[in-house]
Amino acid sequence: IFLDEIMRQTDEEFQFHLTNIRNKDYNESTLEYFNQRVGAELKNYIELDPYNKGAYHKNRLRLDKLRGKVNFYNASFTGPKWAKDKFKTMNCFANSLPLKMKCRVLITKNNSGLGIVNGDLGTVTSLRPLEVRVDRTGDVVAMSKVKYELRDGAGKVVATAMQVPLKLGYAITTHKSQGLTLSKAKMSVHSCFEPNMLYVALSRVRELEDMSLVKP
């Protein structure tokens, strides 16, 4: 199955230059188009970092600056040890999620009943119960644990996990942002090190005005 209709972006000029990047056509016009966003100011953004270490330190640095006690939300698992160990390395969710009041979070699962989508950003307004004010809607929603399933090659469930579908919302790796639509993103695209990483980063937002580049 080949998907050929762009759904995330509707602006034809934005689509055109993203397609050039996807096709590795780094012409001057396309580079100038994106480089106009170098140093652009954004509010309530998440940072995209090519490296796990960079994203981790940015998240912990911002969390540590907030006052208050850290609350940890730990995932619970069922299944044999080998399956649980594999599940823990897949980064589908946080094995142990540290949160504080007023910290920024990224929602990682759709929930039509709550009106939230994968990639929404928000701010924690309550820890017990866990509640988040969503940037996009302004609504405060209650966040509870959801089930994740690990299946084998035959489709049989071999392990399950229960965890709240949130991650710290200050930074995320470009790799882990695949599939997400981000409302605002500040990007370190100058240090991309894999062939398609640049396209993945630039295509996470709906509009050009939703991105800021750290360097050209």
Side-chain angles (χ1 to χ4, degrees):
I1 298 173
F2 291 89
L3 305 178
D4 56 15
E5 183 179 356
I6 297 173
M7 304 298 293
R8 182 174 291 114
Q9 296 85 19
T10 57
D11 181 86
E12 292 184 0
E13 186 179 17
F14 194 18
Q15 291 179 347
F16 172 78
H17 289 295
L18 282 175
T19 299
N20 285 347
I21 295 294
R22 182 166 54 85
N23 293 333
K24 299 178 178 61
D25 177 10
Y26 303 111
N27 63 76
E28 286 300 318
S29 174
T30 289
L31 293 179
E32 287 178 6
Y33 177 79
F34 288 109
N35 282 337
Q36 64 183 299
R37 300 303 296 170
V38 174
E41 292 192 11
L42 297 175
K43 292 183 179 180
N44 296 329
Y45 60 84
I46 188 169
E47 293 195 53
L48 288 184
D49 194 295
Y51 296 95
N52 280 309
K53 186 178 291 185
Y56 173 82
H57 284 298
K58 287 173 181 175
N59 275 319
R60 290 314 302 251
L61 182 66
R62 296 287 295 276
L63 186 68
D64 290 345
K65 285 183 177 179
L66 289 177
R67 293 184 177 181
K69 179 184 176 183
V70 176
N71 281 252
F72 288 92
Y73 299 81
N74 298 316
S76 57
F77 297 86
T78 65
K81 184 179 184 303
W82 68 266
K84 290 189 287 187
D85 289 345
K86 181 178 180 180
F87 216 169
K88 291 176 182 178
T89 65
M90 293 177 65
N91 293 311
C92 305
F93 48 83
N95 294 322
S96 182
L97 176 66
L99 297 177
K100 286 183 180 180
M101 280 290 294
K102 298 183 179 181
C103 76
R104 299 286 292 163
V105 289
L106 173 73
I107 295 169
T108 59
K109 257 186 178 294
N110 297 334
N111 187 319
S112 58
L114 295 177
I116 56 178
V117 296
N118 189 2
D120 269 338
L121 291 168
T123 302
V124 172
T125 58
S126 171
L127 292 168
R128 306 287 183 187
L130 181 54
E131 295 179 338
V132 172
R133 184 179 299 279
V134 182
D135 291 351
R136 182 175 54 84
T137 64
D139 294 336
V140 175
V141 298
M143 303 298 302
S144 56
K145 289 187 175 183
V146 298
K147 181 185 284 189
Y148 296 83
E149 294 181 338
L150 177 65
R151 297 174 181 269
D152 62 16
K156 180 183 176 182
V157 176
V158 293
T160 66
M162 297 291 294
Q163 178 59 303
V164 290
L166 295 175
K167 291 183 178 180
L168 284 173
Y170 299 107
I172 191 173
T173 62
T174 305
H175 176 71
K176 292 176 187 175
S177 75
Q178 292 185 85
L180 298 180
T181 298
L182 301 175
S183 55
K184 305 283 181 182
K186 181 178 180 181
M187 308 173 183
S188 298
V189 295
H190 58 284
S191 53
C192 291
F193 58 86
E194 290 191 351
N196 297 311
M197 190 176 281
L198 178 61
Y199 173 75
V200 169
L202 295 174
S203 62
R204 290 311 89 198
V205 296
R206 297 181 180 89
E207 305 284 347
L208 180 68
E209 292 72 22
D210 295 335
M211 75 169 67
S212 175
L213 305 186
V214 174
K215 292 182 180 180

